[in-house]
Amino acid sequence: MATYSEPEWDDADGEEDDATEAVTSEEVTRAVVTDTDWTAETILSQLRRGNIQLNPRFQRRDAWNKPRKSRFIESLILGLPIPQIVLAEDKNRRGKFIVLDGKQRLLALRQFAAGSSFAASEEEESFKGFSLTGMEVREDLRLATLKKMEDDDEYVDDLNSLLNETIRTVVVRRWPNEDFLNLVFLRLNTGSVKLSPQELRQALHPGKFTDFLDDCASESEWLRYALRIDKPDFRMRDVEILLRYFGFRYMLDEYTGNLKKFLDDTVNVLNAQWPKEEARIRGVGEDCNRAIEATFDVFGDNAFYRWAHGKYEGRFNRAVFDVMTYYFSEDSVRAKIGSHAEAIESAFRGLCDNDQRFVESIQTTTKTPLATYRRLSLWGEALGEAIGIKVRIPELRENRLVP
């Protein structure tokens, strides 16, 4: 099994800080947060009925291996403490819940129940089941599944222990806005891993484009190559990177500096346009793969890295990804790469060495419309000169970018 590699970021151009801008103390106090001691049986029943959003697509972003899932199930059987689950009630559907924290634990429980009485018939083939392995205390349960425990009286005591075990579940109701949920999400996930709110966006803004975005990112070998990861990212940061690309291609003139809102709006607009624009949207996604490939043709193993102090930094830079894919997604630009690769790389190094405005726009002050304009326009001008054609460069009018 290949080991998972975390993406390493060189810039500060994530959307995490945008998530709390609109949340006030008054809004926080209006939300209702309750502790609900649900049993494992209750949670399995909620999952079976689809009341807890757990899309089968989550499995391809599974962060836990079978031994870790098995030890979680073992903990439930033994009555050992486990972390709480945090859910938010869907505002539009009472009794339906969005997962804020605990997705991997819920996924392990749901997969363990595959084929059992807790598996909805229409989902029988959707969730990949597993049998217990690698336990530390109850090795005698090796190869057991929930279905096997239901069918064999030998497991009756362990089955009852599992189903009756309490899982502390916190439910957030009457939440004021999505910014509040993002605040809760990020506070719950304050660890060493750099997070993306994209997984929450997938739940809050469902639609055909939302599903396509997940599929496109998951299936793109070029995107994984760019991020230096070997499988789809379990926090969906690869999906967020791809969404940025679609935002720049479709809605650049709507960008005001709030990256979270910009990405939310992009998802909503393309979900609405999907019925009429599906073919074109899919084509734009294919152009992203071509743009990534073209960037590697020019920069080799240093693609999407920043040049500084005579060397490439060796960490993925989101702002560099934005500008490279923005221009290399154009057929006319890619057609010039073969004979001008050396000049293109030289132009990029020159900007990084000699233009402080460009350096700041890809490393520190990255989110503002002015910074976005600067990196797009400065690189567009340098690129056009390097390949000998006029490149279409966005303009900045009244602090808005105009493609």
Side-chain angles (χ1 to χ4, degrees), residues 156-223:
V156 63
D157 291 338
D158 293 321
L159 176 64
N160 288 332
S161 296
L162 170 64
L163 296 179
N164 292 330
E165 180 60 21
T166 296
I167 300 177
R168 174 57 55 90
T169 306
V170 176
V171 179
V172 182
R173 294 183 171 89
R174 299 183 193 173
W175 41 276
N177 50 44
E178 290 185 18
D179 295 297
F180 174 81
L181 286 192
N182 275 280
L183 172 63
V184 174
F185 172 77
L186 292 172
R187 292 292 175 87
L188 286 167
N189 292 281
T190 52
S192 59
V193 178
K194 191 70 171 175
L195 296 175
S196 162
Q198 183 63 36
E199 57 181 317
L200 184 56
R201 178 178 293 115
Q202 297 289 117
L204 293 172
H205 301 272
K208 293 293 187 181
F209 172 73
T210 302
D211 289 343
F212 161 75
L213 192 68
D214 186 3
D215 293 339
C216 189
S218 298
E219 295 164 5
S220 174
E221 294 183 5
W222 280 112
L223 185 57

Side-chain angles (χ1 to χ4, degrees), residues 221-263:
E221 294 183 5
W222 280 112
L223 185 57
R224 289 198 296 277
Y225 193 27
L227 290 169
R228 280 72 174 179
I229 57 178
D230 49 32
K231 66 178 183 178
D233 180 59
F234 78 96
R235 287 300 191 188
M236 291 190 154
R237 286 161 291 191
D238 52 345
V239 182
E240 181 190 304
I241 292 296
L242 183 60
L243 178 57
R244 289 165 67 108
Y245 162 79
F246 274 99
F248 274 58
R249 285 291 301 268
Y250 277 92
M251 298 186 60
L252 186 61
D253 56 341
E254 297 295 325
Y255 183 60
T256 61
N258 185 320
L259 183 59
K260 177 189 174 299
K261 183 179 184 304
F262 176 64
L263 298 182

Side-chain angles (χ1 to χ4, degrees), residues 80-151:
L80 298 177
I82 62 169
Q84 67 186 10
I85 305 293
V86 183
L87 308 174
E89 186 172 42
D90 192 320
K91 278 192 168 185
N92 300 316
R93 299 183 300 169
R94 187 178 178 184
K96 303 285 187 178
F97 303 97
I98 298 164
V99 182
L100 299 183
D101 193 37
K103 185 181 295 179
Q104 294 298 325
R105 296 187 289 280
L106 290 171
L107 184 57
L109 195 58
R110 179 62 187 82
Q111 290 174 329
F112 184 63
S116 73
S117 62
F118 290 97
S121 57
E122 63 272 16
E123 292 183 344
E124 190 70 28
E125 302 299 326
S126 299
F127 284 91
K128 302 173 184 176
F130 71 94
S131 54
L132 298 180
T133 185
M135 279 82 67
E136 296 174 337
V137 179
R138 294 295 307 277
E139 183 58 29
D140 58 303
L141 293 175
R142 184 175 179 274
L143 300 183
T145 64
L146 187 58
K147 178 173 173 31
K148 186 175 181 180
M149 294 174 76
E150 288 179 327
D151 294 343

Side-chain angles (χ1 to χ4, degrees), residues 248 252-253 326-327 372-378 380-381 391-397 400-403:
F248 274 58
L252 186 61
D253 56 341
Y326 184 83
Y327 290 111
T372 304
Y373 165 72
R374 278 180 174 169
R375 64 175 175 264
L376 283 171
S377 61
L378 290 171
E381 290 168 2
V391 175
R392 186 174 59 185
I393 298 171
E395 299 177 12
L396 187 68
R397 301 176 189 169
R400 287 292 184 98
L401 288 130
V402 181

